């Protein structure tokens, strides 16, 4: 297992008690200084106790190579500190100033065609540039030296959203770094050739100097899958190396200030291997922006559970979210009434001990001027600001009740997520481009919630094998080590749910032979010899498959041709003869050692899984499953240290009123009405209830 840095959490300002941190990004440099006092006063009114400063301030802090200006930052930090508001100070290296890129255009990253990413937005730097690293670390040293004794700084915010825009760089700097990365990983060029399967299409290399980034190879052509997978690994590591360099400069000068950087964990975002990065920070931070529509709450809870898994159930900080609409979608939908509070408390329920936003005051100009903020364009007299103040009071009440001394209760079920399986499944030459790893874990999380189980979402490196039941949802890559973990887990009594597209390839993206899912075929007791893609792009092709249990498969199904004597077929396909799929097993259950292993050999989606799971969960005897549970409510518990007290969060997953039982002392309600006798409550759309028992 990866060695993690010791956990360190931002401590309160001197004389204050530990509270739930609350606030957001603050960009005073965008505003006249006479606005600052109003900002501080309104922050106090809202209950803000933490702001992030300096994230995109390099040009103002260092207006020229040989000049520095910290005075303005000193003044605003002093104002905030005097008001009891702590500072999460950025290293300010996220976007280089114009003078630097003008003097050193070689720091700008290049795309796969070799075109330069010119200044004009942000993150226009390459992680492998020694020139850029020199200037960035000089800024880190200057910041740390200047603020090393400032009592109001409680954390370092290193850079910002690494890889958001500069994840991939195809420059010569990147090429040389990629060659060195391959040399460190493989040792000799023969091993690289073996891992990448370069005997295909005459791609053998005789020397590390022949390794190129996956640059443009012509429209419609296919990049070597092993090379592309390794380039994604390298790109995550290259940015991580840059982060570690910044972190280490800051840590040497200010060893008592904990450090973090903001990840971008969401169901569909796998920019970096965030679980790998989680070992490198003193505490985990995340930026999460809601997914509009009916899966809004579920996706948020799923993503936050994954962050909790990355943090190994230690407290984590929600660094960014939006109070309403963002600015970067084709249509930027607003949040519904109550969702500002509901979303924040859902993150809190899933392990966050800090709730922050981008940003405090909504910008008047620039590319993010339509991105909502805690203090919107409409000002103090607005629904948004009133809800921001209400949330501040709720967080204070929960902090006083001891929530910060609790952690998310361990679920009976772990849903496994694997960044590298997602990267591999993104290749353009697969059985179907409609299947990716990331969608299946989210569908399982939602379907389990429909069955009354709020699962933990767990990175594949974590201790998923300590759970009563485990879901491997389209975990495409399983190396021999992970496959052996699966065998030992089930053989010793574990309960495994696996799906189509799991265990197809090893860690080099080489297919396991002799039938799918090759890595764990013995555990599941089935053998599939082919894929049956399902689509609607061509008239007359097979677009779906009906199952004997009443559900419907879409996108992909396995052609299972043999079932072990220890396995039982629970559902088959019902199809016309010409499909050759009628009677083919779709859902199976196998006995392996002391445990059980269920297999779902097709994509059923959230609805199909929700209909299939009651029978499967009952057969697998999974704790927490209750056929009478209300799918309208998402239930999450946090357990206080020692296990004596629990905080119960109930969230309405629907747009209709839902009745819930009162289980303890009610601490917080939002869009909820407690009945007169105190035994129950009604949650309106986006409503919630928090209790202590």
């Amino acid at each position: 297992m990866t060695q993690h840095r010791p956990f360190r959490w931002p401590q309160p300002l001197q004389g204050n008690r530990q509270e739930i941190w609350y606030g957001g990004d603050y960009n005073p440099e965008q505003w006249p200084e006479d606005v600052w006092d109003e900002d501080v006063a309104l922050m106090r009114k809202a209950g803000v106790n933490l702001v992030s400063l300096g994230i995109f301030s390099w040009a103002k802090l260092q207006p020229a190579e040989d000049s520095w200006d910290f005075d303005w930052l000193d003044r605003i930090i002093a104002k905030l500190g005097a008001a009891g508001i702590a500072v999460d100070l950025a290293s300010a290296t996220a976007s280089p100033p114009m003078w630097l890129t003008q003097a050193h255009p070689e720091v700008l990253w290049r795309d796969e065609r070799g075109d330069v990413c010119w200044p004009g937005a942000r993150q226009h730097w390459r992680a492998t540039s020694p020139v850029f690293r020199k200037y960035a670390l000089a800024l880190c040293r200057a910041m740390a030296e200047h603020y090393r004794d400032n009592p109001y700084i409680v954390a370092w915010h290193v850079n910002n959203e690494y890889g958001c825009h500069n994840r991939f760089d195809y420059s010569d700097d990147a090429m040389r770094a990629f060659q060195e990365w391959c040399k460190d990983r493989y040792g000799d060029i023969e091993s690289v050739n073996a891992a990448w399967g370069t005997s295909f299409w005459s791609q053998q290399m005789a020397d590390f100097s022949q390794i190129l980034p996956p640059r443009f190879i012509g429209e419609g052509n296919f990049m070597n899958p092993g090379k592309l997978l390794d380039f994604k690994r390298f790109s995550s590591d290259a940015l991580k190396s840059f982060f570690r360099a910044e972190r280490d400069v800051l840590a040497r000068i200010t060893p008592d200030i904990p450090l973090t950087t903001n990840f971008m964990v969401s169901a569909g975002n796998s920019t970096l291997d965030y679980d790998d990065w989680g070992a490198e920070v003193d505490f985990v931070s995340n930026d999460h922006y809601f997914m509009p529509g009916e899966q809004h709450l579920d996706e948020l809870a799923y993503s936050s559970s994954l962050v909790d898994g990355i943090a190994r159930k230690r407290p984590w900080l929600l660094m960014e979210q939006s109070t309403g609409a963002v600015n970067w979608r084709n249509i930027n939908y607003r949040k519904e009434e109550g969702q500002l509070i509901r979303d924040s408390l859902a993150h809190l329920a899933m392990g966050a001990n800090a709730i922050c936003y981008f940003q405090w005051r909504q910008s008047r100009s620039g590319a993010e001027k339509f991105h909502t903020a805690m203090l919107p364009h409409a000002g103090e007299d607005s629904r948004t600001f009133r809800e921001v103040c209400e949330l501040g009071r709720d967080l204070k009440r929960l902090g006083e009740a001891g929530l910060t001394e609790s952690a998310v209760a361990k679920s009976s079920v772990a849903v496994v997520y694997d960044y590298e399986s997602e990267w591999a499944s993104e290749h353009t030459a697969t059985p179907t481009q409609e299947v990716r790893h990331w969608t299946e874990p989210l569908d399982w999380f939602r379907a389990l919630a429909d069955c009354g189980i709020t699962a933990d979402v767990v990175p594949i490196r974590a201790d998923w094998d300590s759970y009563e039941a485990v879901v491997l949802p389209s975990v495409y890559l399983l190396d021999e080590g992970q496959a052996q973990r699966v065998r030992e887990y089930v053989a010793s009594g574990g309960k495994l749910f696996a799906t189509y597209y799991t265990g197809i390839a090893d860690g080099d993206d080489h297919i396991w032979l002799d039938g799918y899912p090759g890595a764990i075929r013995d555990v599941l007791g089935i053998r599939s010899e082919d894929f049956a893609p399902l689509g609607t792009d061509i008239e007359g092709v097979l677009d779906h498959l009906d199952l004997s249990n009443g559900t419907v498969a879409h996108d992909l199904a396995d052609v299972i041709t043999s079932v072990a004597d220890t396995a039982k077929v629970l559902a088959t396909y019902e199809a016309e003869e010409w499909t050759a799929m009628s009677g083919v097993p779709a859902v199976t259950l196998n006995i392996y050692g002391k445990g059980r292993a269920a297999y779902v050999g097709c994509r059923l989606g959230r609805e199909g899984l929700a209909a299939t799971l009651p029978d499967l969960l009952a057969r697998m005897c999974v704790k927490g499953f209750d056929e009478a549970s209300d799918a309208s409510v998402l239930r999450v518990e946090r357990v206080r240290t020692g296990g004596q007290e629990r905080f119960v969060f109930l969230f309405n997953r629907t747009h209709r009123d839902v009745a819930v039982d009162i289980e303890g002392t009610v601490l917080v309600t939002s869009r909820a009405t407690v009945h007169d006798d105190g035994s129950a409550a009604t949650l309106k759309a986006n409503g919630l209830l928090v209790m202590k028992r």
Side-chain angles (χ1 to χ4, degrees), residues 452-464:
I453 297 175
T454 303
D456 286 352
V457 186
V458 180
I460 197 167
R461 293 187 191 89
D463 63 342
W464 51 262

PDB file of all heavy atoms in Angstrom, residues 452-464:
ATOM      1  N   GLY A 452     -31.641   1.055  -0.231  1.00  0.00           N
ATOM      2  CA  GLY A 452     -31.443   1.432   1.165  1.00  0.00           C
ATOM      3  C   GLY A 452     -30.019   1.316   1.660  1.00  0.00           C
ATOM      4  O   GLY A 452     -29.773   1.450   2.860  1.00  0.00           O
ATOM      5  N   ILE A 453     -29.047   1.099   0.756  1.00  0.00           N
ATOM      6  CA  ILE A 453     -27.644   0.978   1.158  1.00  0.00           C
ATOM      7  C   ILE A 453     -26.856   2.153   0.592  1.00  0.00           C
ATOM      8  O   ILE A 453     -26.785   2.333  -0.634  1.00  0.00           O
ATOM      9  CB  ILE A 453     -27.031  -0.345   0.655  1.00  0.00           C
ATOM     10  CG1 ILE A 453     -27.730  -1.540   1.290  1.00  0.00           C
ATOM     11  CG2 ILE A 453     -25.534  -0.392   0.946  1.00  0.00           C
ATOM     12  CD1 ILE A 453     -27.268  -2.884   0.752  1.00  0.00           C
ATOM     13  N   THR A 454     -26.285   2.946   1.474  1.00  0.00           N
ATOM     14  CA  THR A 454     -25.386   4.015   1.039  1.00  0.00           C
ATOM     15  C   THR A 454     -23.978   3.447   1.061  1.00  0.00           C
ATOM     16  O   THR A 454     -23.366   3.289   2.123  1.00  0.00           O
ATOM     17  CB  THR A 454     -25.492   5.244   1.954  1.00  0.00           C
ATOM     18  OG1 THR A 454     -26.845   5.695   1.978  1.00  0.00           O
ATOM     19  CG2 THR A 454     -24.600   6.372   1.436  1.00  0.00           C
ATOM     20  N   ALA A 455     -23.478   3.103  -0.110  1.00  0.00           N
ATOM     21  CA  ALA A 455     -22.184   2.431  -0.217  1.00  0.00           C
ATOM     22  C   ALA A 455     -21.040   3.407  -0.005  1.00  0.00           C
ATOM     23  O   ALA A 455     -21.194   4.619  -0.159  1.00  0.00           O
ATOM     24  CB  ALA A 455     -22.055   1.764  -1.584  1.00  0.00           C
ATOM     25  N   ASP A 456     -19.877   2.866   0.364  1.00  0.00           N
ATOM     26  CA  ASP A 456     -18.631   3.623   0.336  1.00  0.00           C
ATOM     27  C   ASP A 456     -18.003   3.445  -1.042  1.00  0.00           C
ATOM     28  O   ASP A 456     -17.926   2.324  -1.555  1.00  0.00           O
ATOM     29  CB  ASP A 456     -17.643   3.101   1.388  1.00  0.00           C
ATOM     30  CG  ASP A 456     -18.022   3.492   2.803  1.00  0.00           C
ATOM     31  OD1 ASP A 456     -18.958   4.300   2.964  1.00  0.00           O
ATOM     32  OD2 ASP A 456     -17.396   2.986   3.749  1.00  0.00           O
ATOM     33  N   VAL A 457     -17.556   4.548  -1.635  1.00  0.00           N
ATOM     34  CA  VAL A 457     -16.824   4.472  -2.899  1.00  0.00           C
ATOM     35  C   VAL A 457     -15.346   4.463  -2.555  1.00  0.00           C
ATOM     36  O   VAL A 457     -14.848   5.384  -1.901  1.00  0.00           O
ATOM     37  CB  VAL A 457     -17.180   5.640  -3.822  1.00  0.00           C
ATOM     38  CG1 VAL A 457     -16.515   5.456  -5.187  1.00  0.00           C
ATOM     39  CG2 VAL A 457     -18.695   5.750  -3.989  1.00  0.00           C
ATOM     40  N   VAL A 458     -14.646   3.416  -2.976  1.00  0.00           N
ATOM     41  CA  VAL A 458     -13.298   3.137  -2.474  1.00  0.00           C
ATOM     42  C   VAL A 458     -12.319   3.007  -3.634  1.00  0.00           C
ATOM     43  O   VAL A 458     -12.578   2.241  -4.570  1.00  0.00           O
ATOM     44  CB  VAL A 458     -13.307   1.833  -1.642  1.00  0.00           C
ATOM     45  CG1 VAL A 458     -11.920   1.526  -1.114  1.00  0.00           C
ATOM     46  CG2 VAL A 458     -14.302   1.950  -0.490  1.00  0.00           C
ATOM     47  N   PRO A 459     -11.193   3.725  -3.612  1.00  0.00           N
ATOM     48  CA  PRO A 459     -10.175   3.535  -4.645  1.00  0.00           C
ATOM     49  C   PRO A 459      -9.619   2.117  -4.592  1.00  0.00           C
ATOM     50  O   PRO A 459      -9.578   1.485  -3.531  1.00  0.00           O
ATOM     51  CB  PRO A 459      -9.093   4.558  -4.275  1.00  0.00           C
ATOM     52  CG  PRO A 459      -9.752   5.536  -3.366  1.00  0.00           C
ATOM     53  CD  PRO A 459     -10.805   4.766  -2.640  1.00  0.00           C
ATOM     54  N   ILE A 460      -9.164   1.640  -5.737  1.00  0.00           N
ATOM     55  CA  ILE A 460      -8.742   0.246  -5.809  1.00  0.00           C
ATOM     56  C   ILE A 460      -7.529  -0.036  -4.932  1.00  0.00           C
ATOM     57  O   ILE A 460      -7.343  -1.165  -4.474  1.00  0.00           O
ATOM     58  CB  ILE A 460      -8.462  -0.157  -7.283  1.00  0.00           C
ATOM     59  CG1 ILE A 460      -8.430  -1.678  -7.408  1.00  0.00           C
ATOM     60  CG2 ILE A 460      -7.179   0.500  -7.795  1.00  0.00           C
ATOM     61  CD1 ILE A 460      -8.483  -2.186  -8.828  1.00  0.00           C
ATOM     62  N   ARG A 461      -6.695   0.979  -4.635  1.00  0.00           N
ATOM     63  CA  ARG A 461      -5.540   0.761  -3.760  1.00  0.00           C
ATOM     64  C   ARG A 461      -5.936   0.659  -2.288  1.00  0.00           C
ATOM     65  O   ARG A 461      -5.135   0.240  -1.462  1.00  0.00           O
ATOM     66  CB  ARG A 461      -4.541   1.913  -3.894  1.00  0.00           C
ATOM     67  CG  ARG A 461      -3.855   2.028  -5.227  1.00  0.00           C
ATOM     68  CD  ARG A 461      -2.771   3.109  -5.154  1.00  0.00           C
ATOM     69  NE  ARG A 461      -2.249   3.444  -6.458  1.00  0.00           N
ATOM     70  CZ  ARG A 461      -2.757   4.379  -7.255  1.00  0.00           C
ATOM     71  NH1 ARG A 461      -3.814   5.062  -6.849  1.00  0.00           N
ATOM     72  NH2 ARG A 461      -2.230   4.632  -8.437  1.00  0.00           N
ATOM     73  N   ALA A 462      -7.143   1.096  -1.951  1.00  0.00           N
ATOM     74  CA  ALA A 462      -7.561   1.156  -0.547  1.00  0.00           C
ATOM     75  C   ALA A 462      -7.981  -0.228  -0.055  1.00  0.00           C
ATOM     76  O   ALA A 462      -7.892  -1.226  -0.777  1.00  0.00           O
ATOM     77  CB  ALA A 462      -8.681   2.170  -0.374  1.00  0.00           C
ATOM     78  N   ASP A 463      -8.470  -0.287   1.177  1.00  0.00           N
ATOM     79  CA  ASP A 463      -8.767  -1.578   1.803  1.00  0.00           C
ATOM     80  C   ASP A 463     -10.181  -2.053   1.492  1.00  0.00           C
ATOM     81  O   ASP A 463     -10.972  -2.358   2.384  1.00  0.00           O
ATOM     82  CB  ASP A 463      -8.529  -1.498   3.312  1.00  0.00           C
ATOM     83  CG  ASP A 463      -9.449  -0.491   4.005  1.00  0.00           C
ATOM     84  OD1 ASP A 463     -10.019   0.374   3.304  1.00  0.00           O
ATOM     85  OD2 ASP A 463      -9.592  -0.576   5.231  1.00  0.00           O
ATOM     86  N   TRP A 464     -10.522  -2.143   0.206  1.00  0.00           N
ATOM     87  CA  TRP A 464     -11.851  -2.606  -0.167  1.00  0.00           C
ATOM     88  C   TRP A 464     -12.110  -4.030   0.325  1.00  0.00           C
ATOM     89  O   TRP A 464     -13.254  -4.422   0.551  1.00  0.00           O
ATOM     90  CB  TRP A 464     -12.073  -2.523  -1.672  1.00  0.00           C
ATOM     91  CG  TRP A 464     -11.006  -3.169  -2.518  1.00  0.00           C
ATOM     92  CD1 TRP A 464      -9.971  -2.541  -3.133  1.00  0.00           C
ATOM     93  CD2 TRP A 464     -10.870  -4.563  -2.840  1.00  0.00           C
ATOM     94  NE1 TRP A 464      -9.197  -3.444  -3.826  1.00  0.00           N
ATOM     95  CE2 TRP A 464      -9.732  -4.697  -3.661  1.00  0.00           C
ATOM     96  CE3 TRP A 464     -11.600  -5.704  -2.523  1.00  0.00           C
ATOM     97  CZ2 TRP A 464      -9.303  -5.932  -4.161  1.00  0.00           C
ATOM     98  CZ3 TRP A 464     -11.188  -6.931  -3.015  1.00  0.00           C
ATOM     99  CH2 TRP A 464     -10.059  -7.040  -3.827  1.00  0.00           C
TER     100      TRP A 464
END
